[in-house]
């Protein structure tokens, strides 16, 4: 059983929904970013999404784009992002870590080398937003052969004809993108999301986690009531970008986690 599977099994026993927090590795710099990541589990985060900074983040809004630029300017790269996982694993062997980003840095490193290094570092899953199911042989199939979950995005435009293709090789959980467009630009509405979550769950036994457009504890609670959990990224990254202290960022994260766990 993977760490992701074990986490969802634990949450089901506790009758809780999953809170997933996204942060950009290396934002605003290596040391501060690592301190934040290390503090996420104690703040109630069930799964950590670790952003891989990239120069051309086409699915991301301004907030995440700027975070990537800050991280790259501070010298963050794929190796240092893997180092975050290695550092966290020294004290935490249970919180799942999912790397989220784009294929180019992995391709540049070499898929086989990356997967060996990611597995050794304690990475549990990958969300690669620019690799469609038609390219599963590139990374998805090799990753799953290594025991690393490959988590697919479903969106409001994923119709019933497309959905089985999206779900075919997905593992860990399904990430439902609640709004059309890029990150951080619109607010998720539970009433609109509920039928879409139900539609996806009718086609898979995997947990369905909702992200994009969740910015407050109340919003996280509302989404958690109709899904298996909530993802918050831009709202957290905004506070990091504004220069808030690590303690203040983690306090905000805890409020989001508490909201989700009430759902």
């Amino acid at each position: 059983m993977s760490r992701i599977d074990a986490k969802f099994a634990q949450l089901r026993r506790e009758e809780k929904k999953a809170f997933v927090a996204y942060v950009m590795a290396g934002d605003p710099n290596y040391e501060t970013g690592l301190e934040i990541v290390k503090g996420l589990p104690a703040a109630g985060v069930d799964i950590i999404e670790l952003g891989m900074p990239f120069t051309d983040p086409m699915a991301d809004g301004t907030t995440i784009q700027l975070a990537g630029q800050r991280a790259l300017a501070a010298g963050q790269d794929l190796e240092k992002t893997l180092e975050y996982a290695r550092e966290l694993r020294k004290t935490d062997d249970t919180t799942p870590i999912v790397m989220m980003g784009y294929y180019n840095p992995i391709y540049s490193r070499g898929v086989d080398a990356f997967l060996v290094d990611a597995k050794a570092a304690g990475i549990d899953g990958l969300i690669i937003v620019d690799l469609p199911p038609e390219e599963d042989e590139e990374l998805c199939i090799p990753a799953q052969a290594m025991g690393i979950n490959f988590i697919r995005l479903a969106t409001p435009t994923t119709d019933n004809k497309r959905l089985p293709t999206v779900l075919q090789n997905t593992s860990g959980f399904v990430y439902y993108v609640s709004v059309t467009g890029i990150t951080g630009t619109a607010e998720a509405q539970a009433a609109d999301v509920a039928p879409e979550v139900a539609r996806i769950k009718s086609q898979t036994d995997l947990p369905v986690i909702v992200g994009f457009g969740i910015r407050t504890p109340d919003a996280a609670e509302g989404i958690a009531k109709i899904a298996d959990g909530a993802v918050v990224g831009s709202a957290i990254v905004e506070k990091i970008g504004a220069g808030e202290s690590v303690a203040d960022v983690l306090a905000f994260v805890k409020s989001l986690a508490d909201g989700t766990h009430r759902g």
Side-chain angles (χ1 to χ4, degrees):
M1 180 181 287
S2 71
R3 287 190 189 93
I4 293 174
D5 295 337
K7 177 58 69 174
F8 280 109
Q10 173 197 335
L11 291 167
R12 282 192 293 271
R13 290 193 300 270
E14 297 174 355
E15 298 184 344
K16 286 183 178 180
K17 302 300 180 68
F19 177 61
V20 184
Y22 171 97
V23 293
M24 179 68 72
D27 179 32
N29 54 61
Y30 181 90
E31 293 79 10
T32 305
L34 181 58
E35 188 178 354
I36 292 169
V37 168
K38 285 183 171 181
L40 293 176
V45 174
D46 298 301
I47 299 173
I48 296 170
E49 274 185 17
L50 200 54
M52 298 182 284
F54 180 52
T55 53
D56 188 23
M58 62 184 182
D60 293 308
T62 302
T63 297
I64 304 296
Q65 286 185 28
L66 290 173
Q69 290 173 14
R70 289 192 297 268
L72 291 169
Q76 190 75 9
D77 57 18
L78 186 55
E79 176 57 31
K80 289 182 178 179
T81 301
L82 290 170
E83 187 64 29
Y84 271 32
R86 297 186 195 107
E87 288 295 320
L88 183 64
R89 289 289 173 241
K90 290 178 180 179
T91 56
D92 183 329
D93 195 42
T94 58
T95 303
I97 306 171
V98 175
M99 294 180 73
M100 183 172 185
Y102 299 84
Y103 184 45
N104 184 274
I106 296 171
Y107 177 80
S108 297
R109 190 182 185 94
V111 167
D112 293 342
F114 168 76
L115 290 175
V116 168
D117 293 342
K119 184 68 175 179
I123 297 298
D124 302 291
L126 298 172
I127 302 174
I128 308 301
V129 299
D130 56 347
L131 271 184
E134 287 76 14
E135 306 296 335
D136 275 356
E137 295 294 335
E138 284 280 328
L139 181 61
C140 173
I141 302 301
Q144 303 206 113
M146 287 284 291
I148 298 174
N149 290 133
F150 200 89
I151 296 143
R152 190 81 68 192
L153 302 177
T155 74
T157 59
T158 305
D159 60 20
N160 288 330
K161 182 178 180 181
R162 180 66 173 170
L163 186 58
T165 303
V166 169
L167 296 174
Q168 184 174 0
N169 290 316
T170 299
S171 62
F173 60 90
V174 180
Y175 186 134
Y176 179 67
V177 176
S178 62
V179 296
T180 303
I182 55 178
T183 59
T185 56
E187 189 170 328
Q189 301 294 331
D192 297 331
V193 172
E196 291 300 299
V197 170
R199 181 170 68 94
I200 296 167
K201 289 180 77 68
S202 73
Q203 301 295 317
T204 181
D205 292 330
L206 292 171
V208 179
I209 307 299
V210 175
F212 285 48
I214 303 168
R215 307 185 62 82
T216 66
D218 286 347
E221 180 180 357
I223 290 296
K225 288 183 186 302
I226 53 91
D228 296 301
V231 185
V232 179
S234 293
I236 298 169
V237 172
E238 274 182 5
K239 292 190 174 292
I240 297 171
E244 294 196 14
S245 69
V246 171
D248 285 346
V249 170
L250 293 175
F252 177 62
V253 170
K254 185 178 186 305
S255 73
L256 295 164
D258 290 347
T260 304
H261 292 151
R262 289 193 300 268

